[in-house]
Amino acid sequence: MKIAVLSRNSSLYSTRRLLQAIEARGHEGVVIDHLKCDLVIEAEGPSIYYQGEKLEGISAVIPRIGASVTFYGTAVVRQFEMMGVFSTTYSQSIVRSRDKLRSLQLLSGAGLPMPKTAFTNYSKEEKNLIDTVGGAPVIIKLLEGTQGLGVVLAETRKAAQSVVEAFHGLKARIIVQEFIKEAKASDLRVFVVDGKVVGAMKRTGKEGEFRSNLHRGGNAEVVKLSRAERTAAIKAANAMGLSVAGVDILQSARGPLILEVNSSPGLEGIEKATGVDIAGRIVEYIEKNQPKKKGTISKLKA
């Protein structure tokens, strides 16, 4: 098979590992910068041109779409889907995962536990909004934030009100979320492929940092999941329509709480912490799913 990794940078760890795994299993791997793709839509059928040449012969794609280019990136993935090319992550699922509010609504609708969260349309009732999630301290997040950016811990009610007012003054969309003290600046990153947990690590923020993101200096260690944590991760990925997902879970006094579901989870941290060939598992998933008949597209609920 000819498998394309949709990535803007071929030197990134995740992109390199996927190419290695593709070639190790006897397939041809190529990297395609999705921002350099031209989409042609006509009565004869959809097509994609890359650097002036029509793309043909691709059996599957592995989307690595950055949050800043979600709109065009998902349009490219959708075009591949309409051409009958199998994708490890459906375009609609990427769109879902990038909208924090929509994601939480879907997870809540599936009955999954999560930190209590509130959203408002620039309401002036900051005090009531904070009380709704249990009072200070609270976590305040930009809906478009990634890798820990746009996330603020407000330790007092006064600080929380000031931050909410500031974001609303900038017309920035935010959510206010319950702070889980017992998580102690740690969370679990659970990697799910094809409905199975293939790796898990515990991430802990550096001293003085409440965010556990590895990009912000956190560290990771392999962890053995409880049955409840494993089940929650699989259900969360399914609720988002994701066959490849990184599910972030907080360990709380009331059990595992789903924090976020990532549609383009990085491979470096999880592979180095667990020693598991996650990239190879993704290629195995592709092998199990032959390209769909031309002209078909997955029908996911909005």
Side-chain angles (χ1 to χ4, degrees):
M1 285 190 292
K2 186 175 183 179
I3 302 173
V5 181
L6 303 184
S7 172
R8 298 186 63 193
N9 189 344
S10 59
S11 66
L12 293 175
Y13 179 94
S14 296
T15 304
R16 289 189 287 106
R17 282 289 298 118
L18 287 167
L19 283 177
Q20 290 169 3
I22 290 167
E23 293 167 3
R25 298 185 66 85
H27 308 295
E28 179 186 355
V30 295
V31 177
I32 294 175
D33 183 344
H34 35 285
L35 291 192
K36 295 180 180 179
C37 289
D38 297 321
L39 312 183
V40 178
I41 304 164
E42 56 187 341
E44 288 74 16
S47 58
I48 298 175
Y49 284 79
Y50 184 62
Q51 296 180 336
E53 295 186 8
K54 187 176 182 179
L55 287 178
E56 295 180 307
I58 294 175
S59 301
V61 294
I62 304 175
R64 300 290 308 171
I65 309 298
S68 63
V69 294
T70 297
F71 178 81
Y72 198 80
T74 52
V76 173
V77 177
R78 189 180 308 116
Q79 190 85 343
F80 274 114
E81 291 170 351
M82 296 181 68
M83 290 163 57
V85 176
F86 178 77
S87 175
T88 57
T89 308
Y90 288 115
S91 57
Q92 185 62 30
S93 296
I94 298 173
V95 172
R96 288 173 169 181
S97 71
R98 292 290 160 75
D99 185 331
K100 284 187 174 65
L101 178 61
R102 187 180 184 189
S103 297
L104 291 170
Q105 289 173 321
L106 289 167
L107 293 170
S108 176
L112 285 158
M114 66 190 71
K116 195 169 185 179
T117 305
F119 175 72
T120 183
N121 187 36
Y122 308 129
S123 169
K124 297 298 183 182
E125 299 295 328
E126 290 88 0
K127 178 178 179 297
N128 292 337
L129 188 68
I130 295 163
D131 288 339
T132 298
V133 299
V138 295
I139 300 294
I140 301 169
K141 298 180 180 180
L142 284 172
L143 286 181
E144 296 80 15
T146 61
Q147 298 180 349
L149 296 174
V151 181
V152 177
L153 168 61
E155 298 188 9
T156 66
R157 180 186 298 277
K158 184 175 181 180
Q161 288 182 236
S162 296
V163 172
V164 172
E165 288 174 358
F167 277 134
H168 282 174
L170 295 170
K171 297 300 180 183
R173 299 288 185 183
I174 60 169
I175 55 175
V176 178
Q177 200 165 63
E178 171 189 11
F179 176 63
I180 308 300
K181 183 178 180 180
E182 60 268 29
K184 298 179 181 178
S186 296
D187 70 4
L188 304 177
R189 163 57 64 88
V190 184
F191 215 105
V192 178
V193 178
D194 194 20
K196 300 180 181 67
V197 172
V198 296
M201 63 180 173
K202 185 171 185 176
R203 305 181 299 186
T204 303
K206 63 182 180 180
E207 188 175 353
E209 175 62 75
F210 72 95
R211 293 166 292 187
S212 61
N213 305 73
L214 300 185
H215 292 86
R216 311 209 67 77
N219 62 73
E221 59 182 334
V222 66
V223 66
K224 184 176 181 179
L225 300 177
S226 67
R227 179 177 295 181
E229 290 162 349
R230 185 177 295 269
T231 299
I234 293 171
K235 286 185 175 179
N238 289 341
M240 299 298 295
L242 290 168
S243 295
V244 176
V247 183
D248 296 341
I249 296 177
L250 290 178
Q251 295 175 303
S252 78
R254 61 182 189 266
L257 303 177
I258 304 298
L259 191 61
E260 189 173 359
V261 184
N262 195 317
S263 58
S264 293
L267 301 182
E268 185 171 10
I270 192 76
E271 287 198 335
K272 290 183 176 180
T274 64
V276 177
D277 179 11
I278 304 292
R281 298 294 182 89
I282 294 173
V283 179
E284 287 179 20
Y285 169 60
I286 293 173
E287 292 170 341
K288 288 174 58 180
N289 292 268
Q290 295 300 310
K292 298 178 181 180
K293 188 177 179 182
K294 188 175 180 180
T296 62
I297 185 168
S298 175
K299 295 181 179 179
L300 296 172
K301 293 181 180 179

